[in-house]
Amino acid sequence: VVGGHVLGKPGDRARAVAQLTLASGQVMQFLTAVCLLNSASGQAATCLVPFEVELRALTAQQIKRYLDREQPFGCAGSLRSEGLGVTLCQRMSGDDPTALLGLPLIALWSSTRNLPAGESSSASPNPVMLRIIRLLPGARKVTRGPKGTSVPQVPVQTEEGARERQD
């Protein structure tokens, strides 16, 4: 999110140029949601993990060179922070840096601790079914699952970049 605009994954070069031009010198907020569902009980633990990245002021030439080398068309906000995208950054801030890579491991592990006693151990969240979702506009609550469990349903993007609805 930059200035109220949800960027998502660009998918192509033209959208990547537009995203990075918009974000140049601005703070980008990445929002990653995690939902852990115990399929036996229907109980869910959810959390939203924000992470902020402030980009340097970028020239058109810097954006072009970055896109030529990195081709981050499947990355939210066109920022591949684990690669050359880090060179575009002025500052990064958040409680869970792995959220920027797509799987907030600190938050994930903390969520397993919020399940009822006996549902997780200190070693492994084995009885829990994991669903990782990337928040996009249009998120809403729906009732489904065992015992009428209310879980979020949002449009998601798979690693292949195709949009689908979470089942």
Side-chain angles (χ1 to χ4, degrees):
V1 179
V2 176
H5 300 344
V6 177
L7 301 182
K9 297 177 182 180
D12 61 37
R13 185 180 189 86
R15 289 191 60 200
V17 168
Q19 287 182 350
L20 291 171
T21 301
L22 175 67
S24 176
Q26 303 295 314
V27 174
M28 300 173 77
Q29 184 179 47
F30 293 83
L31 301 171
T32 303
V34 173
C35 177
L36 294 173
L37 175 65
N38 180 317
S39 59
S41 70
Q43 293 185 303
T46 62
C47 65
L48 178 64
V49 184
F51 199 85
E52 290 187 348
V53 176
E54 181 180 352
L55 293 189
R56 298 183 296 109
L58 304 171
T59 66
Q61 184 62 28
Q62 288 170 321
I63 291 171
K64 179 187 178 315
R65 280 195 314 260
Y66 166 68
L67 294 177
D68 287 345
R69 291 180 181 157
E70 196 67 68
Q71 299 181 4
F73 310 128
C75 299
S78 305
L79 185 69
R80 183 169 286 147
S81 64
E82 70 276 20
L84 294 174
V86 74
T87 65
L88 308 180
C89 301
Q90 179 74 31
R91 172 186 71 80
M92 294 183 177
S93 176
D95 292 336
D96 191 340
T98 60
L100 191 55
L101 302 176
L103 179 60
L105 296 173
I106 295 169
L108 174 65
W109 186 248
S110 295
S111 292
T112 65
R113 313 305 258 153
N114 293 331
L115 293 175
E119 299 299 326
S120 68
S121 70
S122 60
S124 172
N126 290 334
V128 178
M129 182 179 82
L130 171 65
R131 294 291 287 195
I132 302 299
I133 55 177
R134 277 251 192 245
L135 285 183
L136 294 173
R140 66 187 193 282
K141 289 281 188 180
V142 295
T143 301
R144 62 189 178 149
K147 301 177 187 171
T149 305
S150 179
V151 294
Q153 178 182 3
V154 297
V156 296
Q157 286 194 341
T158 63
E159 289 188 17
E160 295 79 29
R163 289 191 180 195
E164 59 187 38
R165 286 228 171 244
Q166 176 183 340
D167 291 332

